[in-house]
Amino acid sequence: MSPVPSPPQSPPPPSGIPPQPPPCDAERAAPPALWRDRGFRGLWIGQSASQLGENTTLVVLPLIAVLTLGLDPGRLGVLRAVGQAPALLLSLLAGAWVDRWPTRTVMVLADAGRAVVLGAAAVGALLGALGLPALLALAFAVGALSVFFDVAYQASLVRLVRSDQLLRGNSALEGSRSAAGTGGPALGGALVSLLSAPVAIASGGLLFVLSSLSIRRIGRGEAVPGRTKRPPSVSRRIREGLRCVAADPLLRSAGLASAVFQFSFAATTTAYLPFLSRELHLPGTVIGLALAASGPGALLGSLLAARLPGRFGYGPVLVTAAVLGDGAMLCVPGLRGASPVVAGAALLAVNFVFGAGGQLVNVLVMAVRGTVTPAALQGRVAATITFVGMGSAPLGSLVGGFLAGRWGLRTGLLVTAAGMLLSPALMALSPLARLRRTLPVPGETPAAPTDRTDSAKGRDGPAGHPEAAST
């Protein structure tokens, strides 16, 4: 019997250089860094295009209603309410559905649906058949599909990247969302003013097509949690999401703080714009520039969110950002008798700080929610918190209008702006304030005296620690 040949040997290393051990399996299988990850890049490009298309459409439709159909403020308010209604009516259903399907499929279908709807609307506008009933149906359809897309992209990031990359991933996605919130209205206004209604509507549809194609190219397979041959009913899945938020101290605190903020913010907004025009007598251009300052502030907040928690801890950064951002609005009622230049400069600073603080809070809360929520409940938890926050906004608008009418714009604005500070007060008294430099795993509540340096063992890495995320 001939001897078995031995495997080829590597040549000996040069003198003075110690032999290197072979790479371990973990090193061979190490996932790519965040921005080198094709799947994350596809999600980011698609989400950015989708958010730009959504914010463009939100301005295009009301402008067409006013400039083409000549709608009065009452009917324009109905149009806006119809477009906002799906967030309240469909969020819980969207969360239950997203947790049963690959998020990529939901996002692609939602964007394709919005592109088809806007394409049909562009044809209708070209033929002169786009009346108020068609605009109402269009606003509701786009709003409904937007709810499904927004819930899906929030759940998608958790399934796509490692847990230690969640913070920077959320920072990138929220940064593009803020940029779209600033650039979308400007783009929509320019399209309607410089071109025509059909072209403006079709441009929004093209952005949704780009988003759909980009997200479809995410080549990585997605493990969908909770898929069974006989799934529970939709109502049961919705109740599971509600119970998860109610039972977890961190999620419950985030939901309550969101509800209080949305209520107070809606009340403040109701008195804010009339105060600027009627009490301060500011022209529309100054008001527009002041409001636009929140966009660059939000971009700064996204950048800070990737670094500050690793140095100071999630809880202190979260509470401090909320206090500074919400507290800045208290400066607005104090403006009186100032020239448009001085008042405009003050409002620029207020809106910049408000945008930075608000975005910092958004990114950190999304990172907390994504880390502590079980994989099978990501969509439902995101939808539940959205539902709780959006559900309080209409009541806040009514209260803000009542206070401004009863006590005057300045006093009403002061009271509602002060109410916004109740949200950071709730955070400061909750387990959110005790979060340290890393985030707990699902089912774990932060203890006050201890620092969580290894709280996320058992997951894919040091969850939520920004310095551990590869970029």
Side-chain angles (χ1 to χ4, degrees):
M1 179 181 296
S2 58
V4 178
S6 59
Q9 301 293 322
S10 301
S15 176
I17 301 179
Q20 300 296 318
C24 63
D25 292 340
E27 290 173 341
R28 293 191 187 101
L34 188 63
W35 287 106
R36 293 196 297 270
D37 188 331
R38 176 184 174 185
F40 175 77
R41 290 202 311 270
L43 173 64
W44 179 75
I45 293 172
Q47 183 257 3
S48 300
S50 182
Q51 293 293 327
L52 183 60
E54 181 178 343
N55 283 278
T56 300
T57 304
L58 288 176
V59 171
V60 167
L61 296 185
L63 281 179
I64 291 175
V66 172
L67 300 178
T68 304
L69 302 181
L71 293 190
D72 56 46
R75 288 188 292 173
L76 183 61
V78 172
L79 177 63
R80 292 178 62 87
V82 168
Q84 295 168 346
L88 183 61
L89 299 177
L90 300 177
S91 290
L92 295 178
L93 176 63
W97 202 60
V98 164
D99 280 339
R100 287 285 302 159
W101 292 90
T103 55
R104 179 177 63 180
T105 301
V106 177
M107 289 186 287
V108 168
L109 291 177
D111 274 336
R114 287 188 284 188
V116 169
V117 169
L118 290 177
V123 174
L126 187 64
L127 299 176
L130 193 63
L132 180 58
L135 275 179
L136 292 173
L138 175 62
F140 187 86
V142 172
L145 292 169
S146 298
V147 169
F148 280 87
F149 181 92
D150 290 344
V151 172
Y153 96 75
Q154 293 181 55
S156 175
L157 184 66
V158 180
R159 301 181 190 177
L160 193 63
V161 304
R162 302 193 313 265
S163 58
D164 61 302
Q165 295 175 321
L166 272 178
L167 181 62
R168 296 200 175 192
N170 276 318
S171 177
L173 293 178
E174 289 299 296
S176 64
R177 185 177 68 85
S178 297
T182 302
L187 176 61
L191 289 173
V192 174
S193 301
L194 301 178
L195 301 176
S196 63
V199 174
I201 296 174
S203 299
L206 289 177
L207 288 169
F208 290 127
V209 170
L210 172 62
S211 173
S212 180
L213 293 176
S214 177
I215 293 173
R216 188 181 179 187
R217 294 186 63 187
I218 298 176
R220 187 182 312 167
E222 181 180 335
V224 181
R227 294 297 296 269
T228 59
K229 293 183 178 179
R230 300 184 62 182
S233 64
V234 172
S235 60
R236 179 180 173 183
R237 296 204 299 272
I238 290 176
R239 289 196 300 271
E240 289 173 349
L242 291 169
R243 281 198 299 267
C244 180
V245 173
D248 188 284
L250 291 172
L251 297 177
R252 184 172 64 247
S253 301
L256 289 175
S258 174
V260 171
F261 172 80
Q262 293 295 345
F263 175 90
S264 302
F265 181 65
T268 301
T269 304
T270 303
Y272 184 57
L273 292 179
F275 175 81
L276 299 184
S277 61
R278 298 175 188 174
E279 295 286 333
L280 300 183
H281 307 289
L282 296 178
T285 53
V286 175
I287 295 176
L289 288 174
L291 295 177
S294 62
L299 292 177
L300 175 63
S302 296
L303 296 175
L304 294 177
R307 300 186 178 277
L308 294 184
R311 176 171 296 183
F312 303 107
Y314 282 79
V317 173
L318 186 61
V319 174
T320 302
V323 170
L324 292 177
D326 297 348
M329 296 300 294
L330 281 172
C331 299
V332 178
L335 296 174
R336 57 171 75 236
S339 67
V341 174
V342 174
L347 291 171
L348 281 172
V350 167
N351 283 282
F352 183 86
V353 173
F354 177 74
Q359 186 70 350
L360 191 51
V361 172
N362 286 341
V363 173
L364 297 188
V365 168
M366 288 182 68
V368 171
R369 192 208 68 227
T371 303
V372 304
T373 301
L377 291 167
Q378 287 287 339
R380 281 167 283 179
V381 167
T384 298
I385 293 178
T386 298
F387 171 79
V388 170
M390 293 301 298
S392 65
L395 181 59
S397 297
L398 294 175
V399 171
F402 172 78
L403 293 178
R406 185 69 177 271
W407 295 341
L409 288 173
R410 188 179 300 274
T411 304
L413 182 59
L414 178 63
V415 172
T416 55
M420 292 175 63
L421 289 173
L422 292 176
S423 179
L426 283 175
M427 293 183 191
L429 298 174
S430 75
L432 289 170
R434 300 199 296 268
L435 291 171
R436 302 304 181 191
R437 297 180 182 179
T438 53
L439 296 175
V441 297
E444 185 180 7
T445 304
T450 58
D451 193 344
R452 300 187 174 278
T453 54
D454 297 309
S455 62
K457 289 184 177 180
R459 290 173 67 84
D460 297 328
H465 199 304
E467 296 304 322
S470 300
T471 54

